[in-house]
Amino acid sequence: QKEVEQDPGPLSVPEGAIVSLNCTYSNSAFQYFMWYRQYSRKGPELLMYTYSSGNKEDGRFTAQVDKSSKYISLFIRDSQPSDSATYLCAMSGEAAGNKLTFGGGTRVLVKP
Amino acid sequence: EAQVTQNPRYLITVTGKKLTVTCSQNMNHEYMSWYRQDPGLGLRQIYYSMNVEVTDKGDVPEGYKVSRKEKRNFPLILESPSPNQTSLYFCASSPVRGLYGYTFGSGTRLTVV
């Protein structure tokens, strides 16, 4: 079993819909949680960074962490075709050796 | 502009011919790392460096070498490439390992025939 599980998709939504992405993990030592966006033929870019449990909002993006359930989510409101990309979750923690562990990524398609 | 620069972007080579992929960052980051990305396997860490002259193996180090003689540069060396090293490679850097977002390069698409 992988340490971080992420549905590969693809997830296809109409423009303007809410995109809901999630990851589950098994290592309770993870404390830092990130979401990256990766466009085709590009490197991943950091979207959201959160520490421990709770919510964080940045524009159309909201990240949620539920450490008790070992579950993290990313919501994209008012989705645009330019949001079409692969979204990778990643997590780390001092007790996990500070190694950044990635999910496999979810491919998202936002159709005009 | 803060960035990680990889070269080349695309490379086709033959089995056994030594090659080097360069990586340079302009953010004065101490931590640098190499990943390979393959369909269905995601991002896997090859090597990482905590600082100058400090390197260590990641999850898939076989067939690769690295060096960190200067803070800004972290080249990836394939001394005898094989077809199973055909992949998309990314260099990344961060102020500290694992605790902040990583900045990734644009990638190097390597094909070994």
Side-chain angles (χ1 to χ4, degrees), chain A residues 10-33:
Chain A
L11 177 63
S12 182
V13 300
E15 183 175 356
I18 293 175
V19 176
S20 175
L21 303 166
N22 58 75
C23 289
T24 58
Y25 63 95
S26 57
N27 191 341
S28 57
F30 291 143
Q31 300 170 284
Y32 304 92
F33 303 92

Side-chain angles (χ1 to χ4, degrees), chain A residues 2 32 34 36 38 41-46 49 88 91-94 97-100 102-104, chain B residues 9-10 35 37 40-43 45 59 88 90 96-107:
Chain A
K2 295 180 182 178
Y32 304 92
M34 298 153 228
Y36 286 82
Q38 184 177 18
R41 301 191 190 92
K42 298 285 189 182
E45 59 176 313
L46 182 68
Y49 180 95
L88 301 136
M91 47 198 80
S92 68
E94 284 101 340
N98 286 342
K99 178 185 175 183
L100 190 63
F102 286 87
Chain B
R9 290 293 312 276
Y10 301 92
Y35 292 86
Q37 189 174 38
L41 297 176
L43 279 165
Q45 191 177 49
D59 298 317
L88 180 58
F90 290 104
V96 178
R97 183 189 188 204
L99 301 186
Y100 300 97
Y102 288 9
T103 302
F104 283 83
S106 295

Side-chain angles (χ1 to χ4, degrees), chain B residues 21-110:
Chain B
V21 183
T22 64
C23 174
S24 180
Q25 50 96 1
N26 62 0
M27 295 163 283
N28 202 36
H29 286 168
E30 292 193 347
Y31 180 81
M32 297 185 75
S33 181
W34 277 103
Y35 292 86
R36 60 179 289 174
Q37 189 174 38
D38 302 286
L41 297 176
L43 279 165
R44 294 181 292 168
Q45 191 177 49
I46 303 170
Y47 269 95
Y48 64 92
S49 170
M50 303 287 275
N51 212 327
V52 175
E53 302 290 3
V54 181
T55 63
D56 208 345
K57 296 177 181 179
D59 298 317
V60 288
E62 294 79 20
Y64 304 95
K65 283 178 60 177
V66 293
S67 68
R68 187 96 181 271
K69 293 184 172 56
E70 305 166 281
K71 198 171 189 178
R72 62 184 292 126
N73 295 324
F74 189 45
L76 179 69
I77 303 156
L78 286 72
E79 297 220 319
S80 184
S82 62
N84 65 11
Q85 293 178 297
T86 292
S87 186
L88 180 58
Y89 292 85
F90 290 104
C91 180
S93 75
S94 174
V96 178
R97 183 189 188 204
L99 301 186
Y100 300 97
Y102 288 9
T103 302
F104 283 83
S106 295
T108 296
R109 171 75 67 183
L110 172 65

